[in-house]
Amino acid sequence: MASSDVTLLGAPLSPFTNRVQMVLNLKSVHYEFLEESFPFLIKSELLLKSNPVHKKVPVLIHGGKPVNESLVIVQYIIDVWTGGPGNLPLDPYDRAMARFWAAYLDAEWWPLLRGLHNAEGKEAEATALGKFMEGIMLLEDAFAKCGKGKDYFGGDTIGYLDVILGGFLGWLRATEKMTNLKILNASKTPGLFGWAHRFGSNAAVKDVIPETEKVVELAKTFAAIARAQ
């Protein structure tokens, strides 16, 4: 199927947008990027029309038809453009595990990272950091099991789960800067440490990962909003 007539509504600092950009680049799909404000103070008419349920990015519009929610969008892309990296594993069990960990990242791990940013006081910060590091160690174990000793979660090449986690790399780097901690390091998380370097250096994804300073500023804004509520 031709890769023309593809539009992505998104925000450059959104990890959920970033993962969609990454898989599109990995599959050499040409697309038009329409930037939405982030945080979403102003929403375009196209966004409201294309995603009337959640009214948020990312939204992929292909052939005039919108696809919403980043996990759904990534799977749609790998179904339509089957060639190139970023696909789900062929083995049914491995596919199930990739989907399981992708769901874990969005439902449980991302809120832990956000909680680390929003914590106030040393005790709350220590508790949030402990929970977040538990999640990191679960991912370290998942990398060993899914990657089976190879370079990526997808094995020898970048796969679906690499893209899903890879979208968070910009925010992970910002978190390291904000906490003054090396969350991924060669001693405690050797698998993820090496993976992050290899994945983040890939030509298709490295320019998608947002600048650390910009993410830090946005994270501070989100934290201030959360504390005010």
Side-chain angles (χ1 to χ4, degrees):
M1 185 175 294
S3 60
S4 60
D5 198 19
V6 178
T7 300
L8 176 62
L9 308 184
L13 299 184
S14 161
F16 304 101
T17 296
N18 294 157
R19 62 174 50 153
V20 176
Q21 292 174 290
M22 289 172 177
V23 74
L24 286 169
N25 290 348
L26 285 163
K27 292 186 171 295
S28 300
V29 178
H30 298 289
Y31 63 96
E32 179 184 10
F33 184 74
L34 298 182
E35 184 175 342
E36 295 283 334
S37 65
F38 193 61
F40 307 114
L41 302 178
I42 301 174
K43 302 181 181 183
S44 71
E45 288 299 319
L46 182 59
L47 174 60
L48 295 175
K49 176 183 177 181
S50 302
N51 190 356
V53 177
H54 298 297
K55 303 178 178 64
K56 64 181 182 179
V57 298
V59 176
L60 184 81
I61 303 175
H62 181 212
K65 298 177 181 178
V67 184
N68 302 315
E69 296 297 304
S70 65
L71 291 182
V72 177
I73 294 170
V74 171
Q75 293 192 59
Y76 174 83
I77 291 168
I78 65 179
D79 284 343
V80 175
W81 294 281
T82 56
N87 291 332
L88 281 155
L90 294 176
D91 180 81
Y93 180 78
D94 292 342
R95 291 169 74 89
M97 289 301 97
R99 288 188 172 115
F100 170 84
W101 285 110
Y104 166 79
L105 285 168
D106 284 11
E108 300 185 46
W109 186 82
W110 172 244
L112 290 177
L113 187 147
R114 293 289 300 275
L116 186 57
H117 294 167
N118 299 339
E120 289 189 273
K122 290 187 176 181
E123 184 175 348
E125 289 173 358
T127 299
L129 179 60
K131 291 180 179 179
F132 180 69
M133 290 310 299
E134 287 178 9
I136 286 289
M137 297 314 298
L138 286 175
L139 292 177
E140 175 73 9
D141 185 60
F143 177 76
K145 292 178 179 176
C146 295
K148 302 176 182 178
K150 298 182 179 179
D151 285 346
Y152 300 100
F153 283 93
D156 290 320
T157 59
I158 292 174
Y160 169 77
L161 188 53
D162 296 285
V163 171
I164 301 306
L165 178 57
F168 291 118
L169 266 182
W171 283 79
L172 189 56
R173 291 174 180 175
T175 302
E176 289 184 323
K177 186 173 182 64
M178 294 171 70
T179 60
N180 199 31
L181 294 172
K182 289 300 293 181
I183 294 170
L184 301 185
N185 59 75
S187 59
K188 291 186 177 180
T189 56
L192 289 177
F193 179 78
W195 168 85
H197 176 73
R198 289 187 295 273
F199 182 86
S201 300
N202 186 282
V205 306
K206 65 181 182 179
D207 291 335
V208 173
I209 300 171
E211 295 178 18
T212 301
E213 290 298 335
K214 291 183 178 180
V215 179
V216 168
E217 289 305 311
L218 183 60
K220 290 179 179 178
T221 299
F222 281 154
I225 293 171
R227 290 165 186 165
Q229 291 177 343

